Amino acid sequence: MSVNEIYTNYIKGPALDVFSNPKNLIFGSTVHFLSSIFILFSFLSLFVFFVILGSTITSESNVLIDIFKNNLNLTIDVLLIISGAVFGFFFIFSILLTFLINGYWLKTIKYTMNSQNIPDWMGVLELLKYGVIYTIGLFIIGIIFQSPFYMILLAQIVLNLPDLGILSNLPYVCSFLSWVYIPLGTLNYIEKNKFLALFNVKKSFKLYSKEYINYLVASFLLIGIYSIFELLMGYLTELVIDKVVANPNLITDPNFLSWQIFWIPALYVNSFVCFTIFLWLSRGIGTYYNISTGRNDVLTK
């Protein structure tokens, strides 16, 4: 394993490709940002819905409900309808945008395997189609790889077995194995152009070579960089949530709300990093395919 090879093939090369087309990068980051915003609003509205519903069932007064009733002059029934409708609207559109992004990442891998430049955002319906199929495939792969843990957990519950002990770390092992497998399964899916090829472990691992370890090392590094941003955003989010939980009246405080506008650029930066990293990885796995299959027409800048 050569550090220089890892850097050239999976760090420098894909980075130059990704940043060579800022228009596609910015557009994709914006789509990812909108998806994150929609997910955030959907969960906030769902939280409000269950708070109102719980208060209705228990007939207990709630500070959050009082704030809505006093400031918006709405009944509880109307608040339930509005919060439920808002959740449905934002959740559906966040899912659609996620499908669109996944379709674009898949198209990027395909273009790289064919030694083409990063694709433009054309053919939205096609991106959605392949995004839906690919996302469903990833979901199924996740279930398949986690099934050993679920089976052991079920056996523990049914047979009343003692604590899992060291086996409690099995989900992390399964997640790691799925992370190792997914790029190979994706290459097999694109190569064969068949959905079931995504789950054909035997044929997918035929695409494995020692070079794949280099790609995994680079992937681990890039995902680690993104994880730092995720931890930072999670920490900042937790701080805001704790403040609101401790003092719900803050959601009507103009001074507090004015500071929250800084979440907009922060979320956009996070979306930019996330989209860039995974586009980087998409370009990298396509590069790996070309190297491992002996194709010498890999695009480099």
Side-chain angles (χ1 to χ4, degrees), residues 61-68 70 247-249 251:
S61 178
N62 184 281
V63 176
L64 186 61
I65 294 178
D66 291 339
I67 291 173
F68 279 113
N70 295 333
N247 184 12
N249 289 312
I251 63 175

Side-chain angles (χ1 to χ4, degrees), residues 98-114 119 121 126-138 182-183 185-191 193-195 198 275 278-279 281-283 285-286:
T98 300
F99 290 153
L100 188 65
I101 292 170
N102 286 348
Y104 183 78
W105 284 336
L106 191 68
K107 188 175 182 179
T108 299
I109 298 174
K110 183 177 181 179
Y111 268 50
T112 308
M113 291 168 65
N114 293 327
W121 285 85
E126 182 184 27
L127 291 178
L128 279 174
K129 172 186 172 183
Y130 287 108
V132 169
I133 295 172
Y134 187 54
T135 304
I136 292 174
L138 294 179
I182 284 174
T186 301
L187 291 177
N188 192 46
Y189 165 50
I190 296 174
E191 188 180 66
N193 195 27
K194 293 181 180 179
F195 179 67
L198 188 59
F275 181 80
F278 280 91
L279 191 61
L281 293 173
S282 298
R283 197 66 173 169
I285 190 58

Side-chain angles (χ1 to χ4, degrees), residues 32-245:
H32 192 285
F33 168 72
L34 292 175
S35 176
S36 301
I37 290 292
F38 287 166
I39 290 175
L40 176 63
F41 276 106
S42 67
F43 278 108
L44 286 175
S45 58
L46 186 63
F47 170 75
V48 171
F49 177 85
F50 280 111
V51 167
I52 297 172
L53 184 62
S55 180
T56 302
I57 294 174
T58 59
S59 300
E60 295 180 359
S61 178
N62 184 281
V63 176
L64 186 61
I65 294 178
D66 291 339
I67 291 173
F68 279 113
K69 289 174 67 177
N70 295 333
N71 290 275
L72 300 177
N73 195 27
L74 298 174
T75 65
I76 291 180
D77 291 339
V78 174
L79 284 173
L80 279 173
I81 294 173
I82 292 177
S83 58
V86 169
F87 165 74
F89 173 82
F90 283 115
F91 183 75
I92 290 173
F93 275 93
S94 67
I95 293 298
L96 288 176
L97 291 178
T98 300
F99 290 153
L100 188 65
I101 292 170
N102 286 348
Y104 183 78
W105 284 336
L106 191 68
K107 188 175 182 179
T108 299
I109 298 174
K110 183 177 181 179
Y111 268 50
T112 308
M113 291 168 65
N114 293 327
S115 299
Q116 295 175 290
N117 290 311
I118 290 178
D120 293 326
W121 285 85
M122 303 294 291
V124 172
L125 292 179
E126 182 184 27
L127 291 178
L128 279 174
K129 172 186 172 183
Y130 287 108
V132 169
I133 295 172
Y134 187 54
T135 304
I136 292 174
L138 294 179
F139 179 74
I140 295 174
I141 288 176
I143 293 177
I144 292 173
F145 275 88
Q146 291 292 341
S147 59
F149 172 74
Y150 296 139
M151 292 174 65
I152 294 175
L153 186 62
L154 180 62
Q156 181 192 26
I157 296 173
V158 174
L159 302 177
N160 196 25
L161 298 175
D163 185 65
L164 292 175
I166 193 172
L167 290 178
S168 60
N169 295 318
L170 188 58
Y172 302 105
V173 176
C174 294
S175 296
F176 174 77
L177 293 176
S178 65
W179 172 67
V180 171
Y181 172 77
I182 284 174
L184 295 175
T186 301
L187 291 177
N188 192 46
Y189 165 50
I190 296 174
E191 188 180 66
K192 303 296 190 299
N193 195 27
K194 293 181 180 179
F195 179 67
L196 293 180
L198 188 59
F199 314 103
N200 194 322
V201 177
K202 182 179 180 180
K203 290 187 178 180
S204 294
F205 270 100
K206 284 185 177 181
L207 296 172
Y208 171 83
S209 69
K210 290 183 179 180
E211 178 66 24
Y212 189 61
I213 298 176
N214 292 350
Y215 170 75
L216 291 179
V217 170
S219 299
F220 185 79
L221 175 62
L222 294 174
I223 293 175
I225 293 173
Y226 173 65
S227 297
I228 294 174
F229 279 87
E230 280 287 280
L231 289 173
L232 178 61
M233 293 297 296
Y235 173 73
L236 294 176
T237 302
E238 186 177 351
L239 289 179
V240 175
I241 292 175
D242 288 343
K243 284 186 177 181
V244 174
V245 170

